[in-house]
Amino acid sequence: MAQLMARGIDVWAWCNGCSHHAVLPLALLQDRFAPETPLPALRRGLRCGGCGSADVEARPHWRGLGVIARHG
């Protein structure tokens, strides 16, 4: 998280259950996760806004790349 914060990079989340995806602003995540939290550990605290599944991937949101299916 600290590296993403330093670079101003948001988090991109993808649900493996229903393919719903969203960009999660760092400001939202900073209140829920400590700066030393590694990005892969974020997925344990996320739920899909579409179906409620906890099977969610989290990746840096590299602007300009668009949606990349199945980030697994």
Side-chain angles (χ1 to χ4, degrees):
M1 285 287 296
Q3 291 176 351
L4 294 176
M5 288 185 244
R7 298 174 80 186
I9 300 172
D10 292 322
V11 173
W12 185 81
W14 174 278
C15 176
N16 288 315
C18 73
S19 300
H20 177 258
H21 56 276
V23 175
L24 307 176
L26 273 179
L28 173 76
L29 299 174
Q30 287 174 348
D31 294 338
R32 294 182 56 203
F33 299 96
E36 61 274 3
T37 304
L39 186 58
L42 287 182
R43 62 188 302 244
R44 283 178 258 155
L46 299 175
R47 289 224 175 262
C48 176
C51 72
S53 172
D55 188 10
V56 176
E57 299 293 331
R59 302 283 188 262
H61 175 57
W62 303 114
R63 292 178 183 96
L65 293 181
V67 175
I68 301 172
R70 292 296 197 191
H71 261 272

